[in-house]
Amino acid sequence: MNYLLIISCSQRKVETDGLLPAIDRYDGPTYRCLRKFRDANSDKKYPFPTNLRILILSAKFGLIHPETEIPAYDLRMTTERAEEIRHEVKLDLYHCLHFYKIAYGGMDQVFINLGKTYMRTLDDFHWGTIATMEASGGIGLKTQQMKAWLERIFHLQEK
């Protein structure tokens, strides 16, 4: 099975000069949780399971990969911004899913951990036959749901 995690950027960021990979630049609860998984498996060639892909929805950059190097910035996702980048985000997501289909045989399950305003960028997105799960509740509850989902994937990977 192949998995895709879609998460939003974080208002809290590591404030350093220069560029950092997005997964290291953003510093909210979602990213701390992801880095714990990554760092706990840092001795492996692939610290994340090889069947897990992650995409980040950034208010500034749109849809990016965790290793995309980004500067420190301050831009909130507003309803207006979500509408402004919506077409580009959906197009980029279609392209990513097409690539994943060619490279990995497609995605079997998507876990979406986005706030309400970020979700506007995915309005009317057609997932086809891909099973989707959406985190709900406040940020703490959403992070717990994502963590449980990741633990299941890591557990399946170890078998």
Side-chain angles (χ1 to χ4, degrees):
M1 297 236 343
N2 292 309
Y3 303 93
L4 173 61
L5 173 63
I6 301 176
I7 55 178
S8 59
C9 62
S10 171
Q11 181 178 359
R12 186 176 182 158
K13 297 172 187 70
V14 173
E15 297 292 333
T16 60
D17 292 334
L19 302 174
L20 281 179
I23 195 168
D24 295 316
R25 172 69 67 193
Y26 298 123
D27 200 31
T30 298
Y31 291 88
R32 290 180 186 174
C33 178
L34 276 174
R35 287 194 298 267
K36 280 184 185 178
F37 277 98
R38 179 192 68 188
D39 297 345
N41 292 285
S42 63
D43 59 328
K44 297 180 181 174
K45 184 176 180 182
Y46 301 104
F48 287 112
T50 56
N51 60 342
L52 172 66
R53 303 286 168 258
I54 301 170
L55 292 173
I56 299 169
L57 182 51
S58 164
K60 183 167 181 76
F61 302 107
L63 204 59
I64 60 175
H65 297 275
E67 60 276 0
T68 302
E69 294 195 343
I70 60 171
Y73 70 91
D74 187 25
L75 180 66
R76 277 186 93 90
M77 181 65 82
T78 62
T79 302
E80 295 78 21
R81 180 67 179 152
E83 288 301 320
E84 183 181 316
I85 66 172
R86 185 174 136 186
H87 178 73
E88 176 188 340
V89 166
K90 288 168 55 173
L91 191 59
D92 288 347
L93 185 52
Y94 278 121
H95 288 172
C96 284
L97 291 175
H98 181 70
F99 172 78
Y100 296 154
K101 185 170 187 155
I102 293 168
Y104 310 110
M107 291 292 117
D108 299 298
Q109 190 176 94
V110 178
F111 189 90
I112 304 167
N113 185 0
L114 300 173
K116 186 169 51 173
T117 307
Y118 285 84
M119 282 299 294
R120 294 179 69 96
T121 63
L122 299 181
D123 281 351
D124 303 323
F125 187 82
H126 299 287
W127 293 99
T129 60
I130 303 171
T132 60
M133 301 172 65
E134 186 180 327
S136 61
I139 192 159
L141 188 54
K142 286 181 177 182
T143 303
Q144 286 177 351
Q145 293 165 12
M146 183 190 77
K147 181 182 177 197
W149 185 78
L150 287 168
E151 285 173 341
R152 193 179 81 228
I153 293 170
F154 273 80
H155 178 70
L156 291 172
Q157 182 78 10
E158 291 172 352
K159 286 186 174 187

